[in-house]
Amino acid sequence: MRFLTACRGEAPDVVPIWFMRQAGRSLPEYRKLREDHDILTLCRTPDLATEVTLQPVRRLGVDAAILFSDIVVPLVGLGIEVEIKPKVGPVIAEPIRSVGDLERLATFEPEADVPFVLETIRLLKGELDVPLIGFAGAPFTLASYLVEGGPSKDHRVAKSFMYAEPEAWQKLMDRLAEMTLVYLRAQIDAGVDAIQLFDSWAGHLSPVDYERYVLPASEAILRGLDGTVPRIHFGVGTAQLLELMAGAGTDVMGIDWRVPLDAARTRLGDDVVLQGNLDPVACLASWDVIEEKADDVLKRLGGTRHIFNLGHGVLPETDPDNLKRLVEYVHEWTP
Ligand code: CP3
């Protein structure tokens, strides 16, 4: 179980590797299933979610599986109606825009609201011979969808709400933190071996705003899981936030491709394991380019306290043969 060995800060036999968004549209076997089922149906049907989770493990030989789901899946438990529009992303019919709207939010109960997620985890535990990563969206990233009502380039509606109504924002963060902690605990009870908290859009915040408006909620989740399974904290474009995000209470810090891993190591010290950080776009290039860039990523940490990944999710256009070759390359690499 080299992935878990690395998460604990111990030395595995070789550098472990998995990919964010390893399940999904880059795989022909996923696209085939998607012809008959929409994505939320895949997420809500344990047999199908299990199959989709296993697809990249079989094909690519990665060292960890990630539960097939989406960060918006638990929002139904809060009474939020959400749809995932192809090539757009999550869309919410009635966004949260006021203190009054917050009263619409119901209490999240995993066994009642997302039984299919817990059942998928139990099924996977019987099938997998690599660790299973559970996950959730962090409060800021979830709030962005809830307040904007859909994907946004600059998160201006969500941030405007944050600035204009700091108390209502605080309440929203608290509710999302409470839900996410309960959700991740339920995933852990069902059997996941590690968890990743995705704060994909936190990079749109300055350190001062992140610390004031967002960090306490993410910290409540991560600290609330202390002593359970390894925790991974990840964001995109978060170079300005790395110390704050790592300080929120995590075992592994996910780094995007903009920050060289040796620079992240110097800034964060030796206590945290680093995950990343090949540019996902590099995987669209020819193998020579991928090899050169993967080698650069590997050399920066010399194979220690490192889990290889991309700096963000696999792009749908990626040739899975490149990913398979990358897994082999990382497994054969020596410092
Ligand atoms: O293999 C895996 O990594 C597990 C599956 C996974 C999905 N979503 C499935 C999915 C994971 C970990 C997520 C997390 C997620 N979802 C995040 C955080 C990670 C990140 O990428 O930053 C975010 C921000 C979302 C919200 C979301 N869902 C977006 C932006 C999109 C893409 C829209 C598009 O079509 O380009 C989705 C849809 C989605 N979630 C797909 C998959 C495989 C593609 C949809 C499809 O099959 O049509």
Side-chain angles (χ1 to χ4, degrees), residues 136 180-188 194-197 218-232 249 251:
T180 304
L181 182 55
V182 168
Y183 184 41
L184 289 171
R185 280 191 178 136
Q187 292 184 37
I188 293 166
I195 62 92
Q196 178 155 326
L197 189 64
S218 293
E219 196 164 7
I221 298 165
L222 291 166
R223 298 236 179 262
L225 298 174
D226 200 7
T228 58
V229 298
R231 299 154 297 179
I232 309 169
D251 303 286

